[in-house]
Amino acid sequence: MSSRLVVLVSGSGTNLQALLDAAADDAFGAAVVAVGADRDGIEGLARAERAAVPTFVVRVGDHATRAAWDAALAARIAEYKPDLVVSAGFMKILGPSVLDAWPVVNTHPALLPAFPGAHAVRDALAYGVRVTGCTVHLVDAGVDTGPVIAQEAVAVRDEDDEGTLHERIKTVERRLLVEVVGRLAREGWHAHGRRVRFGRVAQPGDTTQEEHP
């Protein structure tokens, strides 16, 4: 059986499209069962609709507090009984109603813990690093502070500006996200502190995550 994915988006949904394309092959081991967003009228939702994947929107402004929004988002996610939630360009910080219910995977366009936050590519260029990259990590209560699952380096070229560097990072990011989500689905995983390991056999001290047939 495929692992069930709910993917959260806020924009164009290119990472979502990479997951949809991968999930078209049964060997991938996971299926996108719903796509959620924090706003209407975005290309990410249109991509899901073209793929005949159910969608939902939970806007922050429709709720009195962020905690109420988080609870409403968790309730909508729960309708689809996911095994894993993927934050694919979702530009809102998730709260405990979501994070306590499911493992959430996110991507970041830098080699965490370097350059967290919304302007990672700009910050890396301003610092003058020669190598940056992307990170796929578990989401925790902080901002880009969750345990790292996988990383890949991207060289910074002399002629790079924020746009050109970000585009090269995005290419790597899409591939790495698909690889990680597929392995999580097919192989299972365990966590020990900040270490995340693939596989269904726990090591001493690991926290065993829910396994799926």
Side-chain angles (χ1 to χ4, degrees):
M1 293 177 61
S2 291
S3 291
R4 297 171 62 85
L5 308 178
V6 168
V7 181
L8 303 178
V9 296
S10 290
S12 63
T14 55
N15 282 341
L16 165 64
Q17 189 64 58
L19 290 168
L20 289 169
D21 292 345
D25 183 348
D26 290 342
F28 181 60
V32 179
V33 297
V35 172
D38 61 331
R39 63 197 70 189
D40 296 295
I42 59 173
E43 178 61 17
L45 291 174
R47 290 177 189 273
E49 290 161 2
R50 289 194 292 269
V53 173
T55 64
F56 60 89
V57 177
V58 184
R59 290 176 291 268
V60 173
D62 292 342
H63 299 85
T65 65
R66 286 297 289 261
W69 169 78
D70 188 57
L73 179 63
R76 293 305 311 271
I77 292 171
E79 294 175 18
Y80 299 95
K81 300 179 172 60
D83 301 305
L84 184 69
V85 175
V86 181
S87 176
F90 190 64
M91 301 306 291
K92 294 291 186 293
I93 296 174
L94 299 169
S97 293
V98 174
L99 297 179
D100 291 349
W102 304 278
V104 181
V105 171
N106 187 33
T107 63
H108 183 74
L111 297 174
L112 293 173
F115 310 116
H119 304 293
V121 179
R122 183 189 311 172
D123 293 344
L125 280 170
Y127 198 85
V129 298
R130 305 308 298 173
V131 175
T132 183
C134 63
T135 301
V136 179
H137 64 98
L138 294 175
V139 178
D140 63 10
V143 177
D144 301 323
T145 56
V148 170
I149 305 172
Q151 293 180 305
E152 189 164 330
V154 174
V156 180
R157 299 172 181 167
D158 289 342
E159 66 272 20
D160 269 331
D161 58 23
E162 185 177 356
T164 60
L165 179 56
H166 204 175
E167 283 305 313
R168 292 208 316 285
I169 292 172
K170 286 178 181 179
T171 299
V172 175
E173 183 180 53
R174 288 190 288 271
R175 175 175 51 75
L176 192 62
L177 177 63
V178 167
E179 177 186 320
V180 166
V181 170
R183 290 192 66 187
L184 292 172
R186 295 187 302 271
E187 301 175 29
W189 57 282
H190 301 84
H192 183 198
R194 296 196 57 82
R195 297 288 298 276
V196 179
R197 286 189 279 257
F198 294 104
R200 300 191 184 280
V201 178
Q203 301 294 322
D206 281 354
T207 299
T208 303
Q209 306 302 320
E210 183 179 358
E211 295 185 359
H212 313 293

